[in-house]
Amino acid sequence: MFRIALGLVVGTLSAAPVFAQTAPAQTPPAQGAQPAPTARTFGNDAGMVLNFIKPDKTADFEAVVAKLKEALAKSEKPERKEQAKSWQVFKSPDPAAGGNVLYVFLINPSVKGADYTVSNILAEAFPTEVQTLYKQYAESYASGQNFVNLQLISDLGK
């Protein structure tokens, strides 16, 4: 059922993005500088981010996701602990547009007001590694990301 729903969402978003944002900037911040203080938040019940990754860069993307998991786990911030509890990462077994690979961040429930910007979370946990991680992350993208705020209208299991 999830695969069908995800397929419908992906198909719909491919045709007409609900709220599209570009992938991370291709140039990392200057040495010693922090990534741009852009906050990516979800103000509704849940959120989803569609990430379109180059097929030859999936290992790089997944390595950064592993560092993201580590960053959330080691954070002393309560909102980061809450984010980790409800943030899942899926990889589609089906090719995305242009032969790229689709990774989906599913955040359910979202932590309202919390910053989900991957580069900002990495900078908090790994200030000396963030430049390398950000470059690896940014260069894995084939195209932009789609950020989708989701509002629950019915919980069919309850």
Side-chain angles (χ1 to χ4, degrees):
M1 184 62 136
F2 174 76
R3 291 178 79 174
I4 293 170
L6 180 59
L8 290 172
V9 169
V10 171
T12 301
L13 289 173
S14 295
V18 175
F19 180 53
Q21 294 186 359
T22 59
Q26 294 299 309
T27 305
Q31 186 66 24
Q34 295 296 321
T38 304
R40 302 257 170 99
T41 61
F42 295 100
N44 288 313
D45 303 317
M48 186 168 41
V49 182
L50 305 177
N51 302 281
F52 299 93
I53 305 302
K54 297 172 189 171
D56 62 333
K57 295 291 187 175
T58 59
D60 288 347
F61 183 80
E62 290 180 20
V64 173
V65 168
K67 292 297 274 189
L68 173 64
K69 180 178 181 175
E70 185 182 340
L72 290 168
K74 75 185 249 182
S75 178
E76 298 297 322
K77 294 182 174 183
E79 68 268 20
R80 296 290 187 229
K81 302 289 186 199
E82 288 301 309
Q83 286 174 289
K85 290 179 187 177
S86 62
W87 191 338
Q88 296 177 303
V89 181
F90 293 89
K91 179 181 180 181
S92 175
D94 303 317
N100 295 309
V101 180
L102 174 65
Y103 287 83
V104 178
F105 294 164
L106 182 61
I107 294 106
N108 186 21
S110 64
V111 178
K112 294 193 177 56
D115 182 9
Y116 283 88
T117 309
V118 171
S119 59
N120 290 350
I121 296 168
L122 292 172
E124 290 172 8
F126 308 109
T128 60
E129 296 175 59
V130 71
Q131 300 300 321
T132 303
L133 291 169
Y134 185 77
K135 185 174 192 280
Q136 183 177 13
Y137 179 67
E139 290 178 352
S140 68
Y141 277 84
S143 62
Q145 297 174 310
N146 288 338
F147 276 70
V148 183
N149 274 293
L150 302 171
Q151 183 176 5
L152 182 66
I153 60 163
S154 179
D155 187 344
L156 303 179
K158 293 183 180 180

Short mmCIF file of all heavy atoms in Angstrom, two decimals, residues 13 16-26 36-43 48-52 105 115-120 134 137 141-149:
data_model
loop_
_atom_site.label_atom_id
_atom_site.label_comp_id
_atom_site.label_asym_id
_atom_site.label_seq_id
_atom_site.Cartn_x
_atom_site.Cartn_y
_atom_site.Cartn_z
N LEU A 13 4.07 14.68 -8.16
CA LEU A 13 5.08 15.71 -7.96
C LEU A 13 5.97 15.87 -9.18
O LEU A 13 6.45 16.95 -9.46
CB LEU A 13 5.93 15.40 -6.74
CG LEU A 13 5.20 15.57 -5.41
CD1 LEU A 13 6.06 15.07 -4.28
CD2 LEU A 13 4.77 16.99 -5.19
N ALA A 16 3.85 18.11 -11.49
CA ALA A 16 3.64 19.48 -11.01
C ALA A 16 4.09 19.57 -9.56
O ALA A 16 3.33 19.27 -8.68
CB ALA A 16 2.15 19.86 -11.12
N PRO A 17 5.32 19.98 -9.30
CA PRO A 17 5.81 20.05 -7.92
C PRO A 17 4.95 20.94 -7.04
O PRO A 17 4.55 22.03 -7.44
CB PRO A 17 7.22 20.65 -8.07
CG PRO A 17 7.61 20.36 -9.47
CD PRO A 17 6.34 20.36 -10.27
N VAL A 18 4.63 20.42 -5.86
CA VAL A 18 3.84 21.17 -4.91
C VAL A 18 4.65 22.34 -4.38
O VAL A 18 4.19 23.46 -4.33
CB VAL A 18 3.39 20.24 -3.75
CG1 VAL A 18 2.67 21.01 -2.68
CG2 VAL A 18 2.50 19.14 -4.29
N PHE A 19 5.88 22.06 -3.96
CA PHE A 19 6.75 23.10 -3.43
C PHE A 19 8.17 22.68 -3.70
O PHE A 19 8.77 21.97 -2.92
CB PHE A 19 6.49 23.28 -1.94
CG PHE A 19 7.32 24.34 -1.29
CD1 PHE A 19 7.37 25.63 -1.79
CD2 PHE A 19 8.07 24.07 -0.16
CE1 PHE A 19 8.13 26.60 -1.20
CE2 PHE A 19 8.84 25.05 0.45
CZ PHE A 19 8.87 26.31 -0.08
N ALA A 20 8.67 23.03 -4.84
CA ALA A 20 10.00 22.57 -5.23
C ALA A 20 11.06 23.54 -4.76
O ALA A 20 10.87 24.74 -4.81
CB ALA A 20 10.09 22.41 -6.74
N GLN A 21 12.17 22.97 -4.30
CA GLN A 21 13.33 23.76 -3.95
C GLN A 21 14.52 23.14 -4.65
O GLN A 21 14.52 21.96 -4.95
CB GLN A 21 13.56 23.74 -2.44
CG GLN A 21 12.44 24.43 -1.68
CD GLN A 21 12.79 24.52 -0.20
OE1 GLN A 21 13.82 24.08 0.25
NE2 GLN A 21 11.90 25.12 0.54
N THR A 22 15.51 23.92 -4.90
CA THR A 22 16.67 23.38 -5.58
C THR A 22 17.51 22.56 -4.62
O THR A 22 17.39 22.69 -3.41
CB THR A 22 17.54 24.51 -6.16
OG1 THR A 22 17.94 25.35 -5.09
CG2 THR A 22 16.78 25.29 -7.19
N ALA A 23 18.34 21.72 -5.18
CA ALA A 23 19.26 20.93 -4.38
C ALA A 23 20.24 21.86 -3.69
O ALA A 23 20.32 23.04 -4.02
CB ALA A 23 20.02 19.96 -5.29
N PRO A 24 20.99 21.35 -2.75
CA PRO A 24 21.97 22.20 -2.08
C PRO A 24 22.89 22.86 -3.11
O PRO A 24 23.15 22.30 -4.16
CB PRO A 24 22.75 21.21 -1.22
CG PRO A 24 21.84 20.05 -1.04
CD PRO A 24 21.01 19.99 -2.28
N ALA A 25 23.35 24.04 -2.77
CA ALA A 25 24.25 24.77 -3.66
C ALA A 25 25.43 23.89 -4.03
O ALA A 25 25.92 23.13 -3.21
CB ALA A 25 24.73 26.05 -2.99
N GLN A 26 25.91 24.00 -5.24
CA GLN A 26 26.99 23.15 -5.70
C GLN A 26 28.34 23.58 -5.16
O GLN A 26 29.29 22.85 -5.22
CB GLN A 26 27.02 23.14 -7.24
CG GLN A 26 25.80 22.48 -7.85
CD GLN A 26 25.65 21.04 -7.43
OE1 GLN A 26 26.58 20.26 -7.53
NE2 GLN A 26 24.49 20.67 -6.94
N ALA A 36 24.99 28.24 4.76
CA ALA A 36 24.01 29.33 4.83
C ALA A 36 22.92 28.97 5.84
O ALA A 36 22.46 27.84 5.88
CB ALA A 36 23.40 29.56 3.46
N PRO A 37 22.50 29.93 6.66
CA PRO A 37 21.54 29.65 7.71
C PRO A 37 20.10 29.55 7.20
O PRO A 37 19.20 30.19 7.71
CB PRO A 37 21.72 30.84 8.66
CG PRO A 37 22.15 31.95 7.78
CD PRO A 37 22.98 31.30 6.70
N THR A 38 19.89 28.75 6.20
CA THR A 38 18.55 28.53 5.67
C THR A 38 17.89 27.46 6.50
O THR A 38 18.45 26.38 6.68
CB THR A 38 18.62 28.05 4.20
OG1 THR A 38 19.36 29.00 3.45
CG2 THR A 38 17.26 27.86 3.61
N ALA A 39 16.72 27.73 7.03
CA ALA A 39 16.01 26.74 7.84
C ALA A 39 14.94 26.09 6.98
O ALA A 39 14.15 26.77 6.33
CB ALA A 39 15.38 27.41 9.05
N ARG A 40 14.93 24.77 6.98
CA ARG A 40 13.90 24.00 6.28
C ARG A 40 13.04 23.38 7.37
O ARG A 40 13.48 22.51 8.11
CB ARG A 40 14.54 22.91 5.42
CG ARG A 40 15.52 23.47 4.40
CD ARG A 40 14.88 23.47 3.02
NE ARG A 40 15.66 24.20 2.04
CZ ARG A 40 16.49 23.65 1.17
NH1 ARG A 40 16.67 22.36 1.16
NH2 ARG A 40 17.12 24.39 0.29
N THR A 41 11.81 23.85 7.48
CA THR A 41 10.92 23.38 8.54
C THR A 41 9.63 22.83 7.93
O THR A 41 9.28 23.14 6.79
CB THR A 41 10.57 24.53 9.51
OG1 THR A 41 9.90 25.56 8.78
CG2 THR A 41 11.80 25.09 10.18
N PHE A 42 8.95 22.03 8.72
CA PHE A 42 7.63 21.53 8.35
C PHE A 42 6.66 22.04 9.40
O PHE A 42 6.81 21.75 10.58
CB PHE A 42 7.62 19.99 8.32
CG PHE A 42 8.50 19.42 7.25
CD1 PHE A 42 9.76 18.94 7.57
CD2 PHE A 42 8.09 19.39 5.94
CE1 PHE A 42 10.59 18.42 6.59
CE2 PHE A 42 8.91 18.88 4.94
CZ PHE A 42 10.16 18.39 5.27
N GLY A 43 5.67 22.78 8.96
CA GLY A 43 4.71 23.37 9.89
C GLY A 43 3.43 22.57 10.05
O GLY A 43 2.55 22.97 10.79
N MET A 48 7.62 15.42 3.73
CA MET A 48 8.32 14.50 2.85
C MET A 48 9.27 15.32 2.00
O MET A 48 8.96 16.44 1.59
CB MET A 48 7.29 13.79 1.96
CG MET A 48 7.87 12.71 1.10
SD MET A 48 6.63 11.65 0.31
CE MET A 48 5.35 12.76 -0.20
N VAL A 49 10.45 14.76 1.75
CA VAL A 49 11.42 15.40 0.87
C VAL A 49 11.80 14.36 -0.18
O VAL A 49 12.22 13.26 0.16
CB VAL A 49 12.68 15.87 1.62
CG1 VAL A 49 13.64 16.57 0.67
CG2 VAL A 49 12.32 16.78 2.79
N LEU A 50 11.64 14.72 -1.44
CA LEU A 50 12.04 13.85 -2.53
C LEU A 50 13.41 14.31 -3.01
O LEU A 50 13.60 15.48 -3.35
CB LEU A 50 11.03 13.93 -3.67
CG LEU A 50 9.58 13.63 -3.28
CD1 LEU A 50 8.66 13.80 -4.48
CD2 LEU A 50 9.45 12.25 -2.69
N ASN A 51 14.38 13.39 -3.00
CA ASN A 51 15.76 13.68 -3.37
C ASN A 51 16.11 12.90 -4.62
O ASN A 51 16.04 11.66 -4.60
CB ASN A 51 16.70 13.26 -2.23
CG ASN A 51 16.38 13.95 -0.92
OD1 ASN A 51 16.75 15.08 -0.72
ND2 ASN A 51 15.69 13.26 -0.03
N PHE A 52 16.50 13.57 -5.68
CA PHE A 52 16.84 12.94 -6.94
C PHE A 52 18.37 12.88 -7.06
O PHE A 52 19.02 13.91 -7.22
CB PHE A 52 16.20 13.69 -8.10
CG PHE A 52 14.70 13.70 -7.99
CD1 PHE A 52 14.04 14.75 -7.36
CD2 PHE A 52 13.96 12.63 -8.46
CE1 PHE A 52 12.66 14.75 -7.22
CE2 PHE A 52 12.57 12.62 -8.33
CZ PHE A 52 11.91 13.68 -7.71
N PHE A 105 12.80 11.25 2.13
CA PHE A 105 12.82 11.48 3.56
C PHE A 105 11.35 11.55 3.97
O PHE A 105 10.62 12.41 3.47
CB PHE A 105 13.47 12.81 3.93
CG PHE A 105 14.94 12.92 3.63
CD1 PHE A 105 15.54 14.17 3.60
CD2 PHE A 105 15.75 11.83 3.38
CE1 PHE A 105 16.90 14.32 3.34
CE2 PHE A 105 17.10 11.96 3.11
CZ PHE A 105 17.67 13.22 3.10
N ASP A 115 14.51 22.66 12.53
CA ASP A 115 15.22 22.83 11.26
C ASP A 115 15.66 21.46 10.73
O ASP A 115 16.39 20.74 11.40
CB ASP A 115 16.43 23.74 11.47
CG ASP A 115 17.21 24.01 10.19
OD1 ASP A 115 16.75 23.65 9.09
OD2 ASP A 115 18.30 24.61 10.31
N TYR A 116 15.20 21.12 9.53
CA TYR A 116 15.54 19.84 8.90
C TYR A 116 16.62 20.02 7.83
O TYR A 116 16.83 19.13 7.02
CB TYR A 116 14.29 19.20 8.28
CG TYR A 116 13.40 18.56 9.30
CD1 TYR A 116 12.40 19.29 9.96
CD2 TYR A 116 13.54 17.22 9.64
CE1 TYR A 116 11.58 18.69 10.90
CE2 TYR A 116 12.72 16.61 10.58
CZ TYR A 116 11.75 17.36 11.21
OH TYR A 116 10.94 16.76 12.16
N THR A 117 17.31 21.14 7.81
CA THR A 117 18.36 21.37 6.84
C THR A 117 19.54 20.46 7.16
O THR A 117 20.18 20.59 8.20
CB THR A 117 18.81 22.84 6.85
OG1 THR A 117 17.67 23.68 6.74
CG2 THR A 117 19.80 23.12 5.74
N VAL A 118 19.81 19.53 6.25
CA VAL A 118 20.85 18.52 6.48
C VAL A 118 22.20 19.19 6.78
O VAL A 118 22.89 18.80 7.72
CB VAL A 118 20.94 17.55 5.29
CG1 VAL A 118 22.16 16.64 5.39
CG2 VAL A 118 19.66 16.72 5.19
N SER A 119 22.58 20.17 6.00
CA SER A 119 23.89 20.81 6.20
C SER A 119 23.99 21.49 7.57
O SER A 119 25.06 21.47 8.20
CB SER A 119 24.19 21.81 5.09
OG SER A 119 23.19 22.81 5.03
N ASN A 120 22.90 22.06 8.06
CA ASN A 120 22.93 22.70 9.38
C ASN A 120 23.09 21.67 10.49
O ASN A 120 23.82 21.89 11.45
CB ASN A 120 21.67 23.53 9.60
CG ASN A 120 21.62 24.77 8.73
OD1 ASN A 120 22.59 25.13 8.09
ND2 ASN A 120 20.46 25.40 8.68
N TYR A 134 29.34 18.39 3.13
CA TYR A 134 28.43 19.21 2.33
C TYR A 134 28.74 19.07 0.84
O TYR A 134 27.83 18.94 0.02
CB TYR A 134 28.52 20.68 2.77
CG TYR A 134 27.51 21.55 2.07
CD1 TYR A 134 26.17 21.54 2.45
CD2 TYR A 134 27.88 22.37 1.01
CE1 TYR A 134 25.23 22.32 1.81
CE2 TYR A 134 26.94 23.15 0.36
CZ TYR A 134 25.62 23.13 0.76
OH TYR A 134 24.70 23.89 0.12
N TYR A 137 27.52 15.71 -0.31
CA TYR A 137 26.05 15.75 -0.35
C TYR A 137 25.57 16.52 -1.58
O TYR A 137 24.76 16.03 -2.36
CB TYR A 137 25.56 16.40 0.95
CG TYR A 137 24.08 16.55 1.11
CD1 TYR A 137 23.24 15.45 1.23
CD2 TYR A 137 23.51 17.83 1.18
CE1 TYR A 137 21.88 15.60 1.41
CE2 TYR A 137 22.14 17.99 1.37
CZ TYR A 137 21.33 16.88 1.48
OH TYR A 137 19.98 17.04 1.67
N TYR A 141 23.49 15.22 -5.98
CA TYR A 141 22.18 15.57 -6.53
C TYR A 141 22.20 15.68 -8.05
O TYR A 141 23.06 16.32 -8.62
CB TYR A 141 21.67 16.89 -5.94
CG TYR A 141 21.01 16.66 -4.61
CD1 TYR A 141 21.77 16.60 -3.46
CD2 TYR A 141 19.65 16.48 -4.52
CE1 TYR A 141 21.18 16.34 -2.24
CE2 TYR A 141 19.05 16.23 -3.31
CZ TYR A 141 19.82 16.16 -2.16
OH TYR A 141 19.23 15.90 -0.96
N ALA A 142 21.18 15.07 -8.68
CA ALA A 142 20.98 15.18 -10.12
C ALA A 142 20.14 16.41 -10.43
O ALA A 142 20.33 17.07 -11.43
CB ALA A 142 20.29 13.93 -10.66
N SER A 143 19.19 16.69 -9.56
CA SER A 143 18.30 17.85 -9.71
C SER A 143 17.84 18.26 -8.32
O SER A 143 18.32 17.74 -7.33
CB SER A 143 17.13 17.51 -10.63
OG SER A 143 16.35 16.48 -10.07
N GLY A 144 16.89 19.15 -8.27
CA GLY A 144 16.45 19.69 -7.00
C GLY A 144 15.72 18.71 -6.10
O GLY A 144 15.56 17.54 -6.41
N GLN A 145 15.31 19.23 -4.98
CA GLN A 145 14.52 18.49 -4.00
C GLN A 145 13.10 19.02 -4.06
O GLN A 145 12.88 20.18 -4.39
CB GLN A 145 15.03 18.73 -2.59
CG GLN A 145 16.43 18.27 -2.33
CD GLN A 145 16.89 18.70 -0.95
OE1 GLN A 145 16.76 19.85 -0.58
NE2 GLN A 145 17.43 17.76 -0.20
N ASN A 146 12.16 18.19 -3.70
CA ASN A 146 10.78 18.62 -3.51
C ASN A 146 10.47 18.49 -2.03
O ASN A 146 10.54 17.38 -1.49
CB ASN A 146 9.79 17.78 -4.32
CG ASN A 146 9.86 18.05 -5.79
OD1 ASN A 146 10.33 19.09 -6.22
ND2 ASN A 146 9.40 17.11 -6.59
N PHE A 147 10.16 19.61 -1.38
CA PHE A 147 9.74 19.61 0.03
C PHE A 147 8.22 19.67 0.04
O PHE A 147 7.63 20.54 -0.60
CB PHE A 147 10.29 20.85 0.76
CG PHE A 147 11.68 20.65 1.24
CD1 PHE A 147 12.74 20.59 0.36
CD2 PHE A 147 11.95 20.51 2.59
CE1 PHE A 147 14.03 20.40 0.80
CE2 PHE A 147 13.24 20.32 3.05
CZ PHE A 147 14.28 20.26 2.16
N VAL A 148 7.60 18.76 0.79
CA VAL A 148 6.15 18.67 0.81
C VAL A 148 5.69 18.65 2.26
O VAL A 148 6.06 17.75 3.03
CB VAL A 148 5.66 17.39 0.09
CG1 VAL A 148 4.14 17.35 0.05
CG2 VAL A 148 6.25 17.28 -1.30
N ASN A 149 4.89 19.64 2.64
CA ASN A 149 4.23 19.64 3.94
C ASN A 149 2.97 18.82 3.80
O ASN A 149 2.24 18.95 2.81
CB ASN A 149 3.87 21.07 4.36
CG ASN A 149 5.00 21.75 5.07
OD1 ASN A 149 5.36 21.36 6.17
ND2 ASN A 149 5.56 22.76 4.44
#
